[in-house]
């Protein structure tokens, strides 16, 4: 033995521990529960086990500075959202009701609607008042312009200008008559003709007149023609003056009518400057379009139309109430179940007119951000991220602290339609994202903006430490959940069984699961079985029946897998001895249900260059963690047995009849024992199965799913018949996690099955082979015929063979 090897002697060889039945199940003593049924217990007045998360929630909700939005992280079923909603509801009830938000038309730029902020409950009132005012104005304008007073004034203006026209022509006619010329109206206009003794001279008569008389008449006619031209030229100016007078009259009538109906609005909303400004703009637009508005109140025959029907055509004068808090108490708490971009930010809808999509400000619809403005918005993180542009829209709103509603089609330039540019809504709210841990850390890693926008993480605990005080509090929690769901009270033994199942779900006998969804399901299902039995209270057998029924519903695949092993289709031996063959244990997870499955692991070894081949990895069926475990065990071999000699073996390890991905390092102890069996030429007891990971010093480390793994091998053994020699080897560090089924515990109690706990691979190898692993003496020598001595001897032989081969000609190999 080399000097360097003497420096690393193994400690005194400890022996494996055969666990007693009492160590396999951390039961709940009903004596700790000082009540008869849960009806005797008060409700739990605080959230159990989530103090850290509650502190974070309180801090994030109360922190008013920018960026302190919350991400609530934890697995599904912990009650995160219900707790968040309750806390937000309590805090929101103490906060003031936020403002109403409306969109109004910008009459000068209709494609840019303006936002109107109003006191809570004012939006709908203003919308109704404005609608009524417009309806009244339409009717009033139609009536005012049909009134006798207006007709009389309009007639006066018309008569005045008609009289002026007639007087001007009469004066010209008199002047012409004095000059013996008559003014005639013809279809083509006016003409002048000379007369003699009251008779109009025709062309022949005029030609017979003396030349000087003709010239005198022509001169007079020409002068009269100039006067006529001047008179006719004044007629358009008189008509314009008449129209201006009519317009002034109409404006005066319209203005008087509008002031009558808008005056009440001004008085009602005199404290709101923005409303007063809108009424001014509305009045100006109504005056400019009074004729069109008046026509909406008239029929073709002149009678009034129903004002409501006319008002529906005047969208430009509507008030689009985007957010209404008329019936809100406190600040809003909004949960958006379908957070698409449109449902978060809002949308601009379109209608079809003559085959073209058109829109206006009345078709702007609010999103969750606007509805939650002034309060709290709760979202599922995975849903936000799964909808296109929703995450970007949410971040942009939080960065800019405003909601800018725009059509997604226009933003992406995928549709050419009439669209709007609404004025942004100032944003003041707290966003709470609810999601799992993986998503939180992925966002932290890959989204630089996430950490600046969501600065508070409320991390929910999955379980709590199990002690007497926690057990009593958990009983009160059970009572609270039972009463909330209106279920039958649970007896003390039923509560104890529920607590035991909570420890089983936590995969740790010394902890209790805080998974509220699973707890509620168990209570409801136990209540169902109690009802089927006609019991007034839920007993332990009803809880057990609920557990067994849940397993039964989900165990079809488990039964098929175990059946294939029992029938010999899947090769797993539960008795006898084999070299290089060991029973490993794995867990198959199917949603919420997991079960253990024994698998045959085999190893081969031969002369080589120190390579341990993981066949699963070579064919890309082995995960990275499993490959790491194989590399660790190969490193352990080299460290313990070949420090001064080259490791001269070529070994192969594989899971037999494995056709899917193999992941995890919980089989590394079994794989190492199979390899040691080959090297030591020591057969392995097939009545034992092994689970556990190994480090480079041979120490056995804890693994997950220990309960399911033990039960999986037990079920296969039980199906073939328990012989009293069968059992499972587990890491000693997994002892606190044991919460085995009662049938497994009873089998161990009766000596028909065994559970061994080991802390070093030597202990596992000793149990499997029946050979003592051995402890090196001061010279570093292993005891003769010990397992390690046989392994050492085989590896030394392989190293010598390798040296012999390397020093000889290939045609004359050694024997």
């Amino acid at each position: 033995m080399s000097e360097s090897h003497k420096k690393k002697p193994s400690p005194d060889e400890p022996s494996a521990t055969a666990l007693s039945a009492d160590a396999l199940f951390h039961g709940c003593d009903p004596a700790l529960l000082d009540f008869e049924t849960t009806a005797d217990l008060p409700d739990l007045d605080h959230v159990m086990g989530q103090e850290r998360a509650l502190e974070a929630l309180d801090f994030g909700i109360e922190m008013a500075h920018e960026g302190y939005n919350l991400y609530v992280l934890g697995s599904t079923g912990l009650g995160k959202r219900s707790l968040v909603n309750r806390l937000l509801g309590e805090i929101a009830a103490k906060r003031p009701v936020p403002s109403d938000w409306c969109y109004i038309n910008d009459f000068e730029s209709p494609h840019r609607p303006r936002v109107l902020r109003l006191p809570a409950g004012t939006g709908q009132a203003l919308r109704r008042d404005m609608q009524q005012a417009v309806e009244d104005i339409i009717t009033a304008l139609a009536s005012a312009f049909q009134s006798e007073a207006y007709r009389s004034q309009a007639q006066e203006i018309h008569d005045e200008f008609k009289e002026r026209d007639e007087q001007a022509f009469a004066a010209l006619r008199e002047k012409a008559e004095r000059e013996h010329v008559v003014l005639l109206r013809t279809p083509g206009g006016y003409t002048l003709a000379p007369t003699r003794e009251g008779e109009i001279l025709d062309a022949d008569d005029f030609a017979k007149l003396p030349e000087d008389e003709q010239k005198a008449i022509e001169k007079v006619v020409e002068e009269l023609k100039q006067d006529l031209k001047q008179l006719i030229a004044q007629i358009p100016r008189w008509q314009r003056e008449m129209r201006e007078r009519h317009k002034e009259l109409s404006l005066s009538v319209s203005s008087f009518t509008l002031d009558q109906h808008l005056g009440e609005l001004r008085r009602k909303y005199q404290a709101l400057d923005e409303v007063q400004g809108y009424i001014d703009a509305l009045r100006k637009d109504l005056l400019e379009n009074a004729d069109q508005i008046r026509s909406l109140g008239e029929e073709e025959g002149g009678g009034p139309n129903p004002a409501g029907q006319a008002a529906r055509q005047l969208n430009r004068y509507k008030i689009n109430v985007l957010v209404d808090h008329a019936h809100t108490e406190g600040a809003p708490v909004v949960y958006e179940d379908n957070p698409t971009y449109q449902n978060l930010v809002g949308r601009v809808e379109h209608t079809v007119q003559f085959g073209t999509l058109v829109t206006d400000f009345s078709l702007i619809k609010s999103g969750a951000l606007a509805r939650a403005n002034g309060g709290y918005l709760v979202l599922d993180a995975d849903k936000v991220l799964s909808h296109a542009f929703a995450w970007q829209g949410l971040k942009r709103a939080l960065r800019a602290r405003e909601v800018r509603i725009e059509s997604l089609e226009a933003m992406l330039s995928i549709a050419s339609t009439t669209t709007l540019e609404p004025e942004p809504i100032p944003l003041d709210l707290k966003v709470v994202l609810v999601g799992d841990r993986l998503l939180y850390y992925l966002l932290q890693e890959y989204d630089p903006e996430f950490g600046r926008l969501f600065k508070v993480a409320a991390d929910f605990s999955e379980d709590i430490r199990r002690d007497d005080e926690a057990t009593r509090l958990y009983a009160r929690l059970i009572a609270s959940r039972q009463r909330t769901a209106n279920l039958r009270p649970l007896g003390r033994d039923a509560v104890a069984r529920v607590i035991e199942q909570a420890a089983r779900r936590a995969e740790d006998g010394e902890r209790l699961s805080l998974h509220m969804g699973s707890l509620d399901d168990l209570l409801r299902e136990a209540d169902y079985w109690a009802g089927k039995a006609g019991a007034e209270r839920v007993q332990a057998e009803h809880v057990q029946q609920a557990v067994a029924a849940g397993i039964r519903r989900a165990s079809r695949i488990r039964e098929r897998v175990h059946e294939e092993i029992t029938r010999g289709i899947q090769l797993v031996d539960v008795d006898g001895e084999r070299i290089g063959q060991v029973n490993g244990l794995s867990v198959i997870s199917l949603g919420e249900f997991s079960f253990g499955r024994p698998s045959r692991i085999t190893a081969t070894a031969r002369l080589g260059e120190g390579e341990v081949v993981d066949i699963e990895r070579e064919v890309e069926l082995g995960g990275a963690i499993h490959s790491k475990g194989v590399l660790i065990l190969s490193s352990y071999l080299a460290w313990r047995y070949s420090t001064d000699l080259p490791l001269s073996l070529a070994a192969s390890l594989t899971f037999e009849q494995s056709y899917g991905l193999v992941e995890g390092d919980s089989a590394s102890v079994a794989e190492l024992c199979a390899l040691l069996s080959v090297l030591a030429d020591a057969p392995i007891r097939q009545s034992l199965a092994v689970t556990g990971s190994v480090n480079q010093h041979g120490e056995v480390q804890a693994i997950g799913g220990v309960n399911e793994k033990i039960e999986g091998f037990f079920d296969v053994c039980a199906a073939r018949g328990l012989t009293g020699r069968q059992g499972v080897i587990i890491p000693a560090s997994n002892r606190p996690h044991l919460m085995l089924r009662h049938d497994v515990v009873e089998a161990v109690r009766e000596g028909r099955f065994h559970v061994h706990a080991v802390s070093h691979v030597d202990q596992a190898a000793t149990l499997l082979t029946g050979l003592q692993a051995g402890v090196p003496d001061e010279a570093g020598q292993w005891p003769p015929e010990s397992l390690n001595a046989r392994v050492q001897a085989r590896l030394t032989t392989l190293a010598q063979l390798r040296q012999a081969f390397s020093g000889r000609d290939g045609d004359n190999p050694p024997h």
Side-chain angles (χ1 to χ4, degrees), residues 21 24 504 707 710-715 722 728 739-755:
L24 304 181
R504 166 80 180 211
N707 294 299
I710 295 173
E711 291 166 355
F713 190 65
F714 172 83
D715 290 338
L722 295 175
V728 172
M739 289 294 296
L740 294 174
R741 294 195 320 246
H742 291 309
D743 56 339
V744 182
V745 175
E746 289 305 312
V748 172
R749 194 185 308 278
E750 296 168 2
R752 296 182 293 118
F753 194 75
H754 308 277
V755 177

Side-chain angles (χ1 to χ4, degrees), residues 172 176 181-184 190-194 220-222 224-225 228:
L172 182 60
V181 178
V182 63
L183 178 64
L184 300 175
Y190 290 94
T191 187
L192 294 169
V220 170
V221 171
E222 186 62 29
L224 290 174
K225 281 184 178 181
L228 179 61

Side-chain angles (χ1 to χ4, degrees), residues 711-731:
E711 291 166 355
F713 190 65
F714 172 83
D715 290 338
V716 171
C717 293
R720 291 184 173 179
L722 295 175
T723 64
R725 297 184 297 273
Q726 293 136 337
V728 172
I729 301 172
I730 66 169

